[in-house]
Coordinates of all heavy atoms in Angstrom, one line a residue:
M1 N 0.8 -1.2 0.0 CA 0.0 0.0 0.0 C 0.9 1.3 0.0 O 1.8 1.3 0.8 CB -0.9 0.0 1.3 CG -1.9 1.0 1.3 SD -2.6 1.2 2.9 CE -4.2 0.5 2.6
T2 N 0.6 2.2 -0.9 CA 1.4 3.4 -0.9 C 0.6 4.6 -0.4 O -0.7 4.6 -0.5 CB 1.8 3.7 -2.4 OG1 0.6 3.9 -3.2 CG2 2.7 2.6 -3.0
T3 N 1.3 5.5 0.1 CA 0.6 6.7 0.6 C 0.8 7.8 -0.5 O 1.8 7.9 -1.2 CB 1.2 7.2 1.9 OG1 2.6 7.5 1.7 CG2 1.0 6.2 3.0
T4 N -0.2 8.6 -0.6 CA -0.2 9.7 -1.6 C 0.2 11.0 -0.9 O -0.3 11.2 0.2 CB -1.5 9.9 -2.3 OG1 -2.5 10.1 -1.4 CG2 -1.8 8.6 -3.1
P5 N 1.0 11.8 -1.5 CA 1.3 13.1 -0.8 C 0.1 14.0 -0.8 O -0.9 13.8 -1.5 CB 2.4 13.7 -1.7 CG 2.2 13.0 -3.1 CD 1.6 11.7 -2.8
A6 N 0.1 15.0 0.0 CA -1.0 16.0 0.1 C -1.2 16.6 -1.2 O -0.2 16.8 -2.0 CB -0.6 17.1 1.1
S7 N -2.4 16.9 -1.6 CA -2.7 17.4 -2.9 C -2.0 18.8 -3.0 O -1.8 19.5 -2.1 CB -4.2 17.5 -3.1 OG -4.7 18.6 -2.3
T8 N -1.7 19.1 -4.2 CA -1.1 20.4 -4.5 C -2.0 21.5 -4.2 O -1.6 22.6 -3.6 CB -0.7 20.5 -6.0 OG1 0.0 19.4 -6.4 CG2 0.1 21.7 -6.3
K9 N -3.3 21.4 -4.4 CA -4.3 22.4 -4.1 C -4.3 22.7 -2.6 O -4.3 23.9 -2.2 CB -5.7 21.9 -4.5 CG -6.7 23.0 -4.4 CD -8.1 22.5 -4.9 CE -9.1 23.5 -4.9 NZ -10.4 23.1 -5.4
T10 N -4.2 21.7 -1.7 CA -4.2 21.9 -0.3 C -2.9 22.6 0.1 O -3.0 23.5 0.9 CB -4.3 20.5 0.4 OG1 -5.5 19.9 0.0 CG2 -4.4 20.7 1.9
T11 N -1.8 22.2 -0.4 CA -0.6 22.8 -0.1 C -0.5 24.2 -0.5 O -0.1 25.1 0.3 CB 0.6 22.0 -0.7 OG1 0.5 20.7 -0.4 CG2 1.9 22.6 -0.3
R12 N -1.0 24.6 -1.6 CA -1.1 25.9 -2.1 C -2.0 26.8 -1.2 O -1.7 27.9 -0.9 CB -1.5 26.0 -3.5 CG -0.4 25.9 -4.5 CD -0.9 26.3 -5.9 NE -0.6 25.1 -6.8 CZ -1.3 24.7 -7.7 NH1 -2.5 25.2 -8.0 NH2 -1.0 23.6 -8.4
A13 N -3.1 26.2 -0.8 CA -4.1 26.9 0.0 C -3.4 27.3 1.3 O -3.7 28.4 1.8 CB -5.3 26.1 0.2
K14 N -2.7 26.5 1.9 CA -2.0 26.8 3.2 C -1.0 27.9 3.0 O -0.8 28.7 3.9 CB -1.4 25.5 3.7 CG -2.3 24.5 4.3 CD -1.6 23.3 4.8 CE -2.6 22.3 5.3 NZ -2.0 21.1 5.8
R15 N -0.3 27.9 1.9 CA 0.7 29.0 1.7 C 0.1 30.3 1.2 O 0.7 31.3 1.3 CB 1.7 28.5 0.6 CG 2.6 27.4 1.1 CD 3.6 27.1 0.0 NE 4.0 25.7 0.2 CZ 4.5 25.0 -0.8 NH1 4.6 25.4 -2.0 NH2 5.0 23.8 -0.5
A16 N -1.1 30.2 0.6 CA -1.7 31.4 0.0 C -2.2 32.4 1.0 O -2.4 33.6 0.7 CB -2.9 31.0 -0.9
V17 N -2.4 32.1 2.3 CA -2.9 33.0 3.3 C -1.7 33.4 4.2 O -1.5 32.7 5.2 CB -4.0 32.3 4.1 CG1 -4.6 33.3 5.1 CG2 -5.1 31.8 3.1
P18 N -1.0 34.4 3.9 CA 0.1 34.8 4.7 C -0.4 35.4 6.0 O -1.5 36.0 6.0 CB 0.9 35.8 3.9 CG -0.1 36.4 3.0 CD -1.1 35.3 2.7
H19 N 0.3 35.3 7.1 CA -0.1 35.9 8.3 C 1.2 36.6 8.9 O 2.3 36.2 8.6 CB -0.6 34.9 9.4 CG 0.4 33.8 9.7 ND1 1.4 34.0 10.6 CD2 0.6 32.6 9.2 CE1 2.2 33.0 10.7 NE2 1.7 32.1 9.9
P20 N 0.9 37.7 9.5 CA 2.1 38.5 10.1 C 2.8 37.7 11.2 O 2.1 37.0 11.9 CB 1.5 39.7 10.6 CG 0.0 39.4 10.9 CD -0.4 38.3 9.9
S21 N 4.1 37.7 11.1 CA 4.8 37.1 12.2 C 4.7 38.0 13.5 O 4.5 39.2 13.4 CB 6.3 37.0 11.9 OG 6.4 36.2 10.7
Y22 N 4.8 37.3 14.6 CA 4.7 38.1 15.9 C 5.8 39.1 16.0 O 7.0 38.8 15.6 CB 4.7 37.1 17.0 CG 4.7 37.8 18.4 CD1 3.5 38.2 18.9 CD2 5.9 38.1 19.0 CE1 3.5 38.9 20.1 CE2 5.9 38.8 20.2 CZ 4.6 39.2 20.8 OH 4.6 39.9 21.9
R23 N 5.5 40.2 16.4 CA 6.5 41.3 16.7 C 6.4 41.8 18.1 O 5.3 41.7 18.7 CB 6.3 42.4 15.7 CG 6.5 42.1 14.3 CD 6.5 43.3 13.4 NE 6.3 42.8 12.0 CZ 5.1 43.0 11.3 NH1 4.1 43.7 11.9 NH2 5.0 42.6 10.1
A24 N 7.5 42.2 18.6 CA 7.6 42.6 20.1 C 6.6 43.7 20.4 O 6.0 43.8 21.5 CB 9.0 43.1 20.4
G25 N 6.3 44.6 19.5 CA 5.3 45.7 19.7 C 3.9 45.2 19.9 O 3.0 46.0 20.3
F26 N 3.6 44.0 19.5 CA 2.2 43.5 19.6 C 1.8 43.4 21.1 O 0.6 43.6 21.3 CB 2.1 42.1 19.0 CG 2.1 42.1 17.5 CD1 2.3 43.2 16.7 CD2 1.9 40.9 16.8 CE1 2.3 43.2 15.3 CE2 1.9 40.8 15.4 CZ 2.1 42.0 14.7
A27 N 2.7 43.2 22.0 CA 2.3 43.0 23.4 C 1.7 44.3 23.9 O 0.6 44.3 24.5 CB 3.5 42.6 24.3
E28 N 2.3 45.5 23.6 CA 1.8 46.7 24.1 C 0.5 47.1 23.4 O -0.4 47.6 24.0 CB 2.8 47.8 23.9 CG 2.4 49.2 24.4 CD 2.1 49.3 25.9 OE1 2.5 48.3 26.7 OE2 1.4 50.2 26.3
Q29 N 0.4 46.8 22.1 CA -0.8 47.0 21.3 C -2.0 46.2 21.9 O -3.1 46.7 22.1 CB -0.7 46.7 19.9 CG 0.1 47.7 19.1 CD 0.3 47.2 17.6 OE1 0.6 46.1 17.4 NE2 0.1 48.1 16.7
A30 N -1.7 45.0 22.2 CA -2.7 44.1 22.8 C -3.2 44.6 24.1 O -4.4 44.6 24.4 CB -2.1 42.7 22.9
R31 N -2.3 45.1 25.0 CA -2.7 45.6 26.3 C -3.6 46.8 26.1 O -4.6 46.9 26.8 CB -1.4 46.0 27.1 CG -1.7 46.4 28.5 CD -0.5 47.0 29.2 NE 0.0 48.2 28.7 CZ -0.6 49.4 28.9 NH1 -1.6 49.5 29.7 NH2 -0.1 50.5 28.4
K32 N -3.2 47.7 25.2 CA -4.1 48.9 25.0 C -5.4 48.5 24.5 O -6.5 49.1 24.9 CB -3.3 49.8 24.1 CG -2.2 50.5 24.8 CD -1.4 51.4 23.8 CE -0.2 52.1 24.4 NZ 0.5 52.9 23.5
L33 N -5.5 47.6 23.5 CA -6.7 47.1 23.0 C -7.6 46.5 24.0 O -8.8 46.7 24.0 CB -6.5 46.2 21.8 CG -5.9 46.8 20.5 CD1 -5.5 45.8 19.5 CD2 -7.0 47.7 19.9
C34 N -7.0 45.7 24.9 CA -7.7 45.0 26.0 C -8.3 46.1 27.0 O -9.4 45.9 27.5 CB -6.9 44.0 26.7 SG -6.6 42.5 25.6
L35 N -7.5 47.1 27.2 CA -8.0 48.2 28.1 C -9.3 48.8 27.5 O -10.2 49.3 28.2 CB -7.0 49.3 28.2 CG -5.8 49.0 29.2 CD1 -4.8 50.0 29.1 CD2 -6.4 48.8 30.6
L36 N -9.4 48.8 26.2 CA -10.6 49.3 25.5 C -11.7 48.3 25.4 O -12.8 48.5 24.9 CB -10.3 49.8 24.1 CG -9.3 51.0 24.0 CD1 -8.9 51.2 22.6 CD2 -10.0 52.2 24.6
G37 N -11.4 47.1 25.9 CA -12.5 46.0 26.0 C -12.4 45.0 24.9 O -13.3 44.2 24.7
A38 N -11.3 44.9 24.1 CA -11.2 44.0 23.0 C -11.2 42.5 23.5 O -10.6 42.2 24.6 CB -9.9 44.3 22.2
T39 N -11.9 41.7 22.8 CA -11.9 40.2 23.1 C -10.7 39.6 22.2 O -10.1 40.2 21.4 CB -13.2 39.6 22.6 OG1 -13.3 39.8 21.2 CG2 -14.4 40.3 23.3
D40 N -10.5 38.3 22.5 CA -9.5 37.6 21.7 C -9.9 37.6 20.2 O -9.0 37.7 19.4 CB -9.4 36.1 22.2 CG -8.6 36.1 23.5 OD1 -8.0 37.1 24.0 OD2 -8.5 34.9 24.1
V41 N -11.2 37.4 19.9 CA -11.6 37.4 18.5 C -11.3 38.8 17.9 O -10.8 38.8 16.7 CB -13.1 37.1 18.4 CG1 -13.6 37.3 17.0 CG2 -13.3 35.7 18.9
Q42 N -11.5 39.8 18.6 CA -11.2 41.2 18.1 C -9.7 41.4 17.9 O -9.3 42.1 17.0 CB -11.9 42.3 19.0 CG -13.4 42.2 18.9 CD -14.0 43.1 20.0 OE1 -13.6 43.1 21.1 NE2 -15.2 43.7 19.6
L43 N -8.9 40.9 18.9 CA -7.5 41.0 18.7 C -7.0 40.3 17.5 O -6.2 40.8 16.7 CB -6.8 40.4 20.0 CG -6.9 41.2 21.3 CD1 -6.3 40.4 22.4 CD2 -6.3 42.6 21.2
A44 N -7.5 39.1 17.3 CA -7.1 38.3 16.1 C -7.5 39.1 14.8 O -6.7 39.2 13.9 CB -7.7 36.9 16.1
D45 N -8.6 39.6 14.8 CA -9.1 40.4 13.7 C -8.2 41.6 13.4 O -7.9 42.0 12.3 CB -10.6 40.8 13.9 CG -11.2 41.5 12.7 OD1 -11.1 40.9 11.6 OD2 -11.7 42.6 12.8
F46 N -7.8 42.3 14.5 CA -6.9 43.4 14.4 C -5.7 43.1 13.6 O -5.2 43.9 12.8 CB -6.6 44.0 15.8 CG -5.7 45.1 15.8 CD1 -6.1 46.4 15.5 CD2 -4.3 45.0 16.1 CE1 -5.3 47.5 15.5 CE2 -3.5 46.1 16.1 CZ -3.9 47.3 15.9
W47 N -5.1 42.0 13.9 CA -3.8 41.6 13.2 C -4.1 40.7 12.0 O -3.2 40.3 11.3 CB -2.9 40.8 14.2 CG -2.2 41.8 15.1 CD1 -1.3 42.7 14.8 CD2 -2.4 41.9 16.5 NE1 -0.9 43.4 15.9 CE2 -1.6 42.9 17.0 CE3 -3.2 41.2 17.4 CZ2 -1.5 43.3 18.3 CZ3 -3.1 41.6 18.7 CH2 -2.3 42.6 19.2
G48 N -5.3 40.5 11.7 CA -5.7 39.7 10.5 C -5.2 38.3 10.5 O -4.8 37.7 9.5
V49 N -5.3 37.7 11.7 CA -5.0 36.3 11.9 C -6.1 35.5 12.5 O -7.1 36.1 13.0 CB -3.7 36.1 12.8 CG1 -2.5 36.8 12.2 CG2 -4.0 36.6 14.2
A50 N -6.1 34.2 12.4 CA -7.1 33.3 13.1 C -6.9 33.4 14.6 O -5.8 33.7 15.1 CB -6.9 31.9 12.6
V51 N -8.0 33.1 15.3 CA -7.9 33.1 16.8 C -6.9 32.1 17.2 O -6.2 32.3 18.2 CB -9.3 32.9 17.4 CG1 -9.2 32.8 18.9 CG2 -10.3 34.0 17.0
S52 N -6.8 31.0 16.5 CA -5.8 29.9 16.8 C -4.4 30.5 16.8 O -3.5 30.1 17.6 CB -6.0 28.7 15.9 OG -5.8 29.1 14.6
M53 N -4.1 31.4 15.8 CA -2.8 32.0 15.8 C -2.5 32.9 17.0 O -1.4 32.9 17.6 CB -2.6 32.8 14.5 CG -1.3 33.5 14.3 SD 0.2 32.4 14.3 CE -0.1 31.6 12.8
L54 N -3.6 33.6 17.4 CA -3.5 34.4 18.6 C -3.1 33.5 19.8 O -2.2 33.9 20.6 CB -4.8 35.2 18.8 CG -4.7 36.2 20.0 CD1 -4.1 37.5 19.6 CD2 -6.1 36.4 20.5
Y55 N -3.8 32.4 19.9 CA -3.6 31.5 21.0 C -2.1 30.9 20.9 O -1.4 30.8 22.0 CB -4.5 30.3 21.0 CG -6.0 30.8 21.3 CD1 -7.0 30.0 20.9 CD2 -6.3 31.9 22.0 CE1 -8.3 30.4 21.1 CE2 -7.6 32.3 22.2 CZ -8.6 31.5 21.8 OH -9.9 31.9 22.0
L56 N -1.6 30.7 19.7 CA -0.2 30.2 19.6 C 0.7 31.3 20.0 O 1.7 31.0 20.8 CB 0.0 29.9 18.1 CG 1.4 29.4 17.8 CD1 1.7 28.1 18.4 CD2 1.6 29.3 16.3
W57 N 0.5 32.6 19.7 CA 1.3 33.7 20.1 C 1.3 33.8 21.6 O 2.3 34.0 22.3 CB 0.8 35.0 19.5 CG 1.1 35.2 18.1 CD1 1.9 34.4 17.3 CD2 0.6 36.2 17.2 NE1 1.9 34.9 16.0 CE2 1.1 36.0 15.9 CE3 -0.3 37.3 17.4 CZ2 0.8 36.8 14.9 CZ3 -0.6 38.1 16.4 CH2 -0.1 37.9 15.1
K58 N 0.2 33.6 22.3 CA 0.1 33.6 23.7 C 0.9 32.5 24.3 O 1.6 32.8 25.3 CB -1.4 33.4 24.2 CG -2.3 34.6 24.0 CD -3.6 34.2 24.6 CE -4.6 35.3 24.6 NZ -5.9 34.9 25.2
R59 N 0.9 31.3 23.7 CA 1.7 30.2 24.3 C 3.2 30.5 24.1 O 4.0 30.1 24.9 CB 1.3 28.9 23.7 CG 0.0 28.3 24.2 CD -0.2 26.9 23.8 NE 0.0 26.6 22.3 CZ -1.0 26.7 21.5 NH1 -2.2 27.1 21.8 NH2 -0.8 26.5 20.2
E60 N 3.6 31.0 22.9 CA 5.0 31.2 22.6 C 5.6 32.5 23.2 O 6.9 32.5 23.2 CB 5.2 31.1 21.1 CG 4.9 29.7 20.5 CD 5.1 29.7 19.0 OE1 5.3 30.7 18.4 OE2 5.1 28.5 18.5
H61 N 4.8 33.4 23.5 CA 5.4 34.7 23.9 C 4.8 35.2 25.3 O 3.7 35.7 25.3 CB 5.1 35.8 22.9 CG 5.7 35.4 21.5 ND1 7.0 35.6 21.2 CD2 5.1 34.9 20.4 CE1 7.2 35.1 20.0 NE2 6.0 34.7 19.5
A62 N 5.5 34.9 26.3 CA 4.9 35.2 27.7 C 4.6 36.7 27.8 O 3.6 37.0 28.5 CB 6.0 34.8 28.7
D63 N 5.4 37.6 27.2 CA 5.1 39.0 27.4 C 3.8 39.4 26.7 O 3.0 40.2 27.2 CB 6.2 39.8 26.8 CG 6.4 39.6 25.3 OD1 6.2 38.5 24.8 OD2 6.9 40.5 24.6
F64 N 3.5 38.7 25.6 CA 2.2 39.0 24.9 C 1.0 38.5 25.8 O 0.0 39.2 26.0 CB 2.2 38.2 23.6 CG 1.0 38.5 22.7 CD1 0.8 39.7 22.1 CD2 0.2 37.4 22.4 CE1 -0.3 39.9 21.3 CE2 -0.9 37.6 21.6 CZ -1.2 38.9 21.0
S65 N 1.1 37.3 26.3 CA 0.1 36.7 27.1 C -0.1 37.6 28.4 O -1.3 37.8 28.7 CB 0.5 35.3 27.5 OG -0.6 34.7 28.3
E66 N 0.9 38.0 29.0 CA 0.8 38.8 30.2 C 0.2 40.1 29.9 O -0.6 40.7 30.7 CB 2.2 39.0 30.9 CG 2.7 37.7 31.5 CD 4.2 37.7 31.9 OE1 4.7 38.9 32.0 OE2 4.8 36.7 32.2
A67 N 0.6 40.7 28.8 CA 0.0 42.1 28.4 C -1.5 42.0 28.2 O -2.2 42.8 28.7 CB 0.7 42.6 27.2
I68 N -1.9 40.9 27.6 CA -3.4 40.7 27.4 C -4.1 40.5 28.8 O -5.1 41.2 29.0 CB -3.6 39.5 26.5 CG1 -3.2 39.9 25.1 CG2 -5.1 39.1 26.5 CD1 -3.3 38.7 24.1
M69 N -3.5 39.7 29.6 CA -4.1 39.5 31.0 C -4.2 40.8 31.7 O -5.2 41.2 32.3 CB -3.3 38.5 31.7 CG -3.6 37.1 31.3 SD -2.9 35.8 32.4 CE -1.2 36.0 32.1
R70 N -3.1 41.6 31.7 CA -3.1 42.9 32.4 C -4.1 43.8 31.9 O -4.8 44.5 32.7 CB -1.7 43.5 32.3 CG -0.6 42.9 33.3 CD 0.6 43.8 33.4 NE 1.1 44.4 32.1 CZ 2.0 43.9 31.3 NH1 2.5 42.7 31.7 NH2 2.4 44.4 30.2
G71 N -4.2 43.9 30.6 CA -5.2 44.8 30.0 C -6.6 44.4 30.3 O -7.5 45.3 30.6
K72 N -6.9 43.1 30.3 CA -8.3 42.6 30.5 C -8.6 42.8 32.0 O -9.7 43.1 32.3 CB -8.4 41.2 30.1 CG -8.5 41.0 28.6 CD -8.7 39.6 28.2 CE -8.8 39.5 26.7 NZ -9.2 38.1 26.2
I73 N -7.7 42.6 32.9 CA -7.9 42.7 34.3 C -8.2 44.2 34.6 O -9.2 44.5 35.4 CB -6.7 42.3 35.2 CG1 -6.6 40.7 35.1 CG2 -6.8 42.7 36.6 CD1 -5.4 40.2 35.7
L74 N -7.4 45.1 34.1 CA -7.7 46.5 34.3 C -9.1 47.0 33.7 O -9.8 47.7 34.3 CB -6.6 47.4 33.8 CG -5.3 47.4 34.6 CD1 -4.2 48.2 33.9 CD2 -5.6 48.1 35.9
A75 N -9.4 46.5 32.5 CA -10.6 46.8 31.9 C -11.8 46.3 32.7 O -12.8 47.0 32.9 CB -10.7 46.3 30.4
D76 N -11.7 45.1 33.2 CA -12.7 44.5 34.0 C -12.9 45.3 35.3 O -14.0 45.5 35.8 CB -12.4 43.0 34.3 CG -12.5 42.1 33.1 OD1 -13.1 42.6 32.1 OD2 -12.1 41.0 33.2
A77 N -11.8 45.7 35.9 CA -11.9 46.5 37.2 C -12.6 47.8 36.9 O -13.4 48.3 37.7 CB -10.5 46.7 37.7
Q78 N -12.2 48.5 35.8 CA -12.8 49.8 35.5 C -14.3 49.6 35.2 O -15.1 50.4 35.6 CB -12.1 50.4 34.3 CG -10.7 50.9 34.6 CD -9.9 51.3 33.4 OE1 -10.4 51.1 32.3 NE2 -8.8 51.8 33.6
A79 N -14.7 48.5 34.6 CA -16.1 48.3 34.2 C -16.9 48.0 35.5 O -18.0 48.4 35.7 CB -16.2 47.1 33.2
A80 N -16.2 47.3 36.4 CA -16.9 47.0 37.7 C -17.1 48.2 38.6 O -18.1 48.3 39.3 CB -16.1 45.9 38.5
E81 N -16.2 49.2 38.5 CA -16.3 50.4 39.3 C -17.4 51.3 38.8 O -18.0 52.1 39.6 CB -15.0 51.2 39.3 CG -13.9 50.6 40.2 CD -12.7 51.4 40.2 OE1 -12.7 52.5 39.6 OE2 -11.7 51.0 40.8
K82 N -17.7 51.4 37.5 CA -18.6 52.3 36.9 C -20.0 52.3 37.6 O -20.4 53.4 38.0 CB -18.7 52.1 35.4 CG -17.5 52.7 34.7 CD -17.7 52.6 33.2 CE -16.5 53.2 32.5 NZ -16.6 53.2 31.1
P83 N -20.6 51.2 37.8 CA -21.9 51.2 38.4 C -21.9 51.8 39.9 O -22.8 52.4 40.3 CB -22.4 49.8 38.4 CG -21.6 49.1 37.3 CD -20.3 49.9 37.3
L84 N -20.7 51.5 40.5 CA -20.6 52.0 41.9 C -20.4 53.5 42.0 O -20.8 54.1 43.0 CB -19.4 51.2 42.6 CG -19.5 49.7 42.7 CD1 -18.2 49.1 43.2 CD2 -20.7 49.3 43.5
S85 N -19.8 54.1 41.0 CA -19.6 55.5 41.0 C -20.8 56.4 40.7 O -20.7 57.5 40.9 CB -18.4 55.8 40.1 OG -18.8 55.6 38.7
R86 N -21.8 55.8 40.2 CA -23.1 56.5 39.9 C -23.8 56.9 41.2 O -23.9 56.1 42.1 CB -24.0 55.7 39.1 CG -23.6 55.5 37.7 CD -24.7 54.8 36.9 NE -24.6 55.0 35.5 CZ -25.3 54.3 34.6 NH1 -26.1 53.4 35.0 NH2 -25.1 54.5 33.4
T87 N -24.3 58.1 41.2 CA -25.0 58.5 42.3 C -26.5 58.6 41.9 O -26.8 58.9 40.8 CB -24.6 59.9 42.8 OG1 -24.7 60.9 41.7 CG2 -23.2 59.9 43.3
P88 N -27.4 58.2 42.8 CA -28.8 58.2 42.5 C -29.3 59.6 42.2 O -28.9 60.6 42.8 CB -29.5 57.6 43.7 CG -28.5 57.3 44.7 CD -27.1 57.7 44.1
A89 N -30.2 59.8 41.2 CA -30.7 61.1 40.9 C -31.8 61.5 41.8 O -32.4 60.9 42.5 CB -31.2 61.1 39.4

């Protein structure tokens, strides 16, 4: 029994969709976007990559993952404070 190589069409399709490589500046951009309330899906859309690529960047780049966590924690804390700061009319 012989195995057949992956079809040329499949191989071309994988190469046809380039994605940006991770860059050091992405961590700070991600933190700022998260402060504005960005989700993982929105972050992936911002860089034009699949969410799975964003997750890969999180696993491979600790600074990126930490920046996202810091931004989301601060955004959540600010959102939680807003209802408390309102005074009844």
